[in-house]
Amino acid sequence: MPSIYYESFGCQMNAYDTEVISSLLGSEGFGRADSPEEADIIIVNTCSVREKAEQRAIGRLNDLSRYSGAILAVCGCMAQRMGEKLFESVPGLDVVAGTDTYFELAGSIRDALEKKQRTSMTAVDGKITYSLIDGRSPGGVTRYLSITRGCENYCSYCIVPYVRGRVRSKEPETIVREASEMVSAGAREITLLGQNVMAYRYGDLDFPRLIRRMIDETEVRRLRFLTTHPRDLDMEIFQLMATEDRLCPHLHLPFQSGSDRILSLMRRGYTRDNYMSAINEARNILPELAVTTDVIVGFPTESNEDFLQTLSMVEQCRFEAAFTFKYSPRHGTSAALSEDDVPAEAKKERLSRLNETVQRIRLEILERQLGTDSEILLDDTVKKGEYRFGKGRTNHFRNVLVPETEREPGDIFRVRLEKLRKFTFIGKEI
Ligand code: 5AD
Ligand code: SF4
């Protein structure tokens, strides 16, 4: 049985897709290899969100092709965006499989294995959704599960609509079936994924109603979701968080920029005030809600004043954490038609100032939790010499280490948050 080694770059949706591809190819008779050295085939799932992500993937693909005789396939967003051009960037490449072509992947891998034939597939179907094949759900305490594919917000900087197509929602029965299988295979926490989960709609089933079904029809102990767009925020979800302790009180809500002028150029469809009112409304329903976000610095024409607005937004909204990025022009997006005119030095400086502010506030929020109790889900144990400790997360998604615990991954129990080491709590079981 030929075996495949998988590597996944990019977001959680890519991590889920990699599992789907593995389950699809598993059902076609391909096994799984633990390292590239042992593999007959290597599949790299790639991201296009920033240029650096693509450069890293191309570098890695070339390394893999140099020291391995395996068949080399690339899939995901960069495969979709670049198509056969990737054969020039990666001479050792055999298969390029765009985001809507995974059902044909087994055939093109066989062509590569048997006939040394190269294939590039980038046709766009626009309707395909993927799900894990029955009985092929890998184990793991925390799992991802995509409920939508694609995005049609067309934020001016973003490549996603071009590489993943329009939004489509998966049938609720399929989602419940996948979740139940994950639970049977050991999952205790599932994160529902989509570019914008609140845009989920299947017939008259919307996102809050899907969550309701997941709570009622599956045994999963904890539910999370990623990611949301401020324009589609549905306050009902916070009511559900307030009443259902299986739905974790955490919201990831990218704001991208604190300047209304930049937000409008980004075509985000909300103002700074809209965003802040939404957060306030959510916190009125659920005061303990943990909010995380994404921010871009150095969007074309961003002035120092615009940037200061972004900083003040972080101060005012008090984010628990933020993923921060330097703007990267993506060919084909409308922002890429404007000159990338913020100098590299200014982007770097703004990013580091932003990160300082984010980390200071993060620390303030975490320090306020010291001495309190929290439920954690242990997802890993680490051994260092004689010393064994557990790693887990609170329902607010805060990191906790539990020294010298007998607990096993999958266990849920209460701890007292006793100390902070950087951004990680040291917890003691109570
Ligand atoms: N440049 C920089 N960051 C980007 N993101 C999306 N597109 C770009 C780009 N062209 C960021 C956004 C998004 C996160 C996943 O990546 O902040 O929320
Ligand atoms: Fe990267 Fe976006 Fe594709 Fe995820 S959807 S892999 S973040 S380009």
Side-chain angles (χ1 to χ4, degrees):
M1 178 164 70
S3 71
I4 309 182
Y5 174 73
Y6 295 90
E7 225 164 77
S8 197
F9 289 87
C11 63
Q12 294 87 347
M13 279 156 273
N14 253 20
Y16 171 80
D17 284 358
T18 302
E19 287 185 3
V20 165
I21 292 169
S22 162
S23 86
L24 267 172
L25 296 181
S27 72
E28 296 266 353
F30 294 93
R32 235 182 137 140
D34 292 329
S35 71
E37 292 79 17
E38 298 160 31
D40 304 297
I41 301 132
I42 298 174
I43 297 185
V44 181
N45 198 1
T46 57
C47 171
S48 281
V49 79
R50 280 166 293 274
E51 195 181 348
K52 230 164 75 188
E54 292 196 343
Q55 285 164 352
R56 268 182 45 224
I58 288 175
R60 178 67 181 149
L61 283 161
N62 274 317
D63 283 351
L64 286 167
S65 88
R66 249 174 253 126
Y67 77 75
S68 154
I71 294 295
L72 190 58
V74 58
C75 55
C77 298
M78 183 177 77
Q80 183 66 41
R81 198 183 78 78
M82 293 183 65
E84 356 183 88
K85 270 193 286 180
L86 273 171
F87 291 133
E88 289 159 32
S89 314
V90 187
L93 192 59
D94 300 283
V95 178
V96 178
T99 49
D100 275 358
T101 67
Y102 303 152
F103 293 120
E104 284 105 71
L105 193 52
S108 46
I109 288 174
R110 274 193 211 100
D111 288 343
L113 278 171
E114 288 155 20
K115 304 182 227 155
K116 287 270 144 230
Q117 185 182 311
R118 271 184 155 181
T119 315
S120 167
M121 311 177 285
T122 51
V124 174
D125 168 278
K127 289 191 216 66
I128 282 183
T129 57
Y130 296 111
S131 51
L132 291 162
I133 303 283
D134 261 342
R136 295 196 168 270
S137 186
V141 170
T142 58
R143 299 290 307 278
Y144 296 125
L145 170 45
S146 287
I147 60 167
T148 67
R149 271 185 93 72
C151 184
E152 50 199 54
N153 286 329
Y154 290 97
C155 303
S156 64
Y157 52 80
C158 187
I159 194 72
V160 170
Y162 307 94
V163 290
R164 293 213 164 217
R166 299 189 80 83
V167 189
R168 39 240 139 113
S169 299
K170 269 159 73 165
E171 306 90 344
E173 289 71 27
T174 309
I175 299 171
V176 167
R177 193 261 302 154
E178 285 183 272
S180 304
E181 281 216 11
M182 289 178 180
V183 172
S184 307
R188 306 226 64 199
E189 175 180 296
I190 295 178
T191 304
L192 302 180
L193 300 176
Q195 244 73 38
N196 175 13
V197 287
M198 301 256 180
Y200 178 88
R201 182 159 281 276
Y202 199 87
D204 45 17
L205 194 85
D206 60 6
F207 184 64
R209 256 146 286 280
L210 176 70
I211 294 280
R212 185 75 266 157
R213 275 190 72 167
M214 296 292 287
I215 290 172
D216 293 343
E217 295 176 31
T218 76
E219 301 281 307
V220 67
R221 182 57 168 63
R222 276 184 174 183
L223 271 179
R224 303 183 180 281
F225 55 86
L226 274 178
T227 189
T228 53
H229 189 295
R231 209 170 29 193
D232 300 304
L233 211 55
D234 185 335
M235 290 297 150
E236 200 180 333
I237 212 72
F238 306 108
Q239 309 277 7
L240 269 173
M241 283 179 184
T243 51
E244 296 294 338
D245 63 353
R246 286 160 66 198
L247 182 60
C248 292
H250 170 213
L251 174 71
H252 184 69
L253 191 69
F255 79 90
Q256 313 297 6
S257 168
S259 151
D260 282 340
R261 193 180 67 80
I262 298 294
L263 282 173
S264 151
L265 291 174
M266 286 176 162
R267 283 211 238 113
R268 288 289 287 173
Y270 56 87
T271 61
R272 163 193 185 92
D273 271 0
N274 298 152
Y275 183 96
M276 290 212 261
S277 319
I279 297 259
N280 287 340
E281 203 181 328
R283 283 181 171 150
N284 277 336
I285 302 171
L286 193 72
E288 293 301 311
L289 180 69
V291 186
T292 55
T293 196
D294 292 348
V295 194
I296 299 175
V297 298
F299 186 85
T301 78
E302 185 189 72
S303 65
N304 198 45
E305 281 65 44
D306 292 317
F307 172 66
L308 292 178
Q309 295 265 297
T310 293
L311 274 190
S312 87
M313 189 93 167
V314 173
E315 298 272 2
Q316 289 180 37
C317 294
R318 306 205 59 80
F319 296 107
E320 177 109 10
F323 296 100
T324 57
F325 309 102
K326 288 189 231 171
Y327 170 71
S328 164
R330 307 283 49 223
H331 185 71
T333 62
S334 63
L337 299 173
S338 305
E339 192 194 342
D340 180 18
D341 61 354
V342 178
E345 258 315 295
K347 281 187 192 168
K348 193 170 152 203
E349 206 245 337
R350 286 176 197 173
L351 188 72
S352 83
R353 271 184 78 188
L354 176 62
N355 286 339
E356 275 169 32
T357 306
V358 165
Q359 294 189 5
R360 174 170 50 74
I361 290 171
R362 177 168 194 193
L363 211 56
E364 285 170 16
I365 296 175
L366 296 182
E367 276 170 353
R368 215 168 302 138
Q369 302 301 320
L370 281 171
T372 65
D373 301 343
S374 210
E375 180 199 273
I376 67 165
L377 164 60
L378 211 74
D379 49 42
D380 199 8
T381 50
V382 183
K383 255 193 124 165
K384 273 197 181 146
E386 288 295 282
Y387 195 65
R388 180 180 190 267
F389 57 90
K391 284 165 101 174
R393 296 253 194 194
T394 68
N395 54 359
H396 291 89
F397 211 51
R398 296 170 182 143
N399 287 307
V400 183
L401 287 186
V402 189
E404 296 172 74
T405 179
E406 299 292 308
R407 295 285 197 167
E408 295 297 332
D411 286 351
I412 293 181
F413 52 96
R414 291 192 74 78
V415 295
R416 175 139 315 143
L417 305 175
E418 293 197 315
K419 288 185 214 148
L420 252 182
R421 293 265 178 279
K422 201 155 193 248
F423 299 114
T424 300
F425 287 106
I426 309 297
K428 186 174 181 200
E429 186 166 356
I430 50 173

